[in-house]
Amino acid sequence: MIEASHVTKSVATSEGELVILNDVSLSVGSGDSLAITGASGSGKSTLLGILAGLDLPTSGSVRLNGQMLTDMDEEGRARVRADNVGFVFQSFQLLPGLSALENVMMPLELHGIGDAEDKAREFLRRVGLGERLRHYPKQLSGGEQQRVAIARAFASQPRVLFADEPTGNLDTATGSRVIDLLFDLNREQGTTLLLVTHEQRLADRCQANMALQAGQVLAAPVSMPAGAVLT
């Protein structure tokens, strides 16, 4: 489902070239889950953005669902994301002027899905917010807002879900419930899951772990399922 080969990312600074990622390769099969861990500044979020086609590497290649992202312009990568990808972020990124239902409906409507409201209602019910459809983000707790974000991500039935610190703004108990929900939906829909996290409890739920340090993959033991390979 996702293949990255010898991905390097560097930027020019006043003090010279800064290497953010250095020769990272990975392959994650359909329905598998991979956690990318590491200290702040290790390159985790940069790698996630490149794998999702939000950014391009300085060198190397990325293929998502058989399509070579690194050979495409931004318009082409945007089409691939629209057809294949969902996102869950630490900051929730809900639109404050829309209700929970409308936040989930909006991307479905943009994709031209005719039964957008029915699907949005169903996924909000599945994340335990069936009674909160008309509530606005400011009327919801942090955990409830993240559940709306998860419903929004899964409602479009993406082939791949990218999650960047999805429990970072939540307390331990609420974060645990959100983690359970994330993996329940992952299993139900067979979605490939790639997440960035600093929480070991979340990383341990994934089939494979990859730790980054200063932009490089650490040579450490990694639990690997069939279909996921790191080098």
Side-chain angles (χ1 to χ4, degrees):
M1 179 55 70
I2 301 175
E3 298 176 31
S5 180
H6 304 293
V7 167
T8 295
K9 180 69 175 181
S10 60
V11 295
T13 71
S14 59
E15 299 179 353
E17 184 183 52
L18 173 63
V19 178
I20 303 172
L21 293 170
N22 186 11
D23 196 30
V24 175
S25 297
L26 60 85
S27 177
V28 185
S30 179
D32 289 341
S33 56
L34 170 69
I36 302 170
T37 63
S40 178
S42 61
K44 305 186 303 296
S45 293
T46 298
L47 177 58
L48 200 73
I50 289 173
L51 296 175
L54 295 170
D55 193 10
L56 286 172
T58 305
S59 62
S61 63
V62 176
R63 188 185 301 272
L64 192 154
N65 195 30
Q67 301 178 78
M68 189 66 76
L69 294 179
T70 40
D71 288 346
M72 298 178 180
D73 58 16
E74 171 52 31
E75 183 177 345
R77 297 196 306 276
R79 286 196 298 269
V80 173
R81 289 195 300 272
D83 292 340
N84 296 278
V85 171
F87 294 95
V88 176
F89 299 100
Q90 176 178 345
S91 58
F92 316 141
Q93 297 198 359
L94 302 179
L95 294 175
L98 299 183
S99 67
L101 180 63
E102 291 165 338
N103 264 285
V104 178
M105 285 176 59
M106 186 183 68
L108 299 176
E109 291 176 330
L110 291 174
H111 282 82
I113 296 174
D115 58 347
E117 182 171 347
D118 289 341
K119 282 198 171 185
R121 286 178 178 274
E122 171 62 15
F123 273 89
L124 285 167
R125 183 195 63 76
R126 291 174 69 181
V127 301
L129 294 176
E131 304 300 318
R132 310 280 274 172
L133 302 179
R134 302 298 179 184
H135 287 69
Y136 291 87
K138 67 180 180 181
Q139 298 172 310
L140 301 171
S141 68
E144 288 172 332
Q145 289 184 61
Q146 190 61 296
R147 282 190 274 161
V148 173
I150 290 172
R152 179 181 59 189
F154 276 101
S156 59
Q157 297 183 295
R159 292 180 174 87
V160 184
L161 181 68
F162 293 95
D164 195 351
E165 299 285 6
T167 59
N169 282 333
L170 306 176
D171 61 70
T172 300
T174 302
S176 293
R177 290 194 293 272
V178 165
I179 290 170
D180 288 342
L181 176 62
L182 196 62
F183 282 95
D184 286 346
L185 290 173
N186 165 247
R187 284 190 298 272
E188 288 174 21
Q189 297 195 195
T191 306
T192 301
L193 177 62
L194 278 85
L195 58 89
V196 160
T197 184
H198 65 278
E199 294 191 58
Q200 196 57 46
R201 63 181 177 136
L202 179 50
D204 288 344
R205 294 283 296 271
C206 290
Q207 294 167 303
N209 280 230
M210 182 179 76
L212 290 180
Q213 181 173 302
Q216 293 183 296
V217 179
L218 287 176
V222 178
S223 174
M224 302 301 304
V229 178
L230 307 179
T231 61

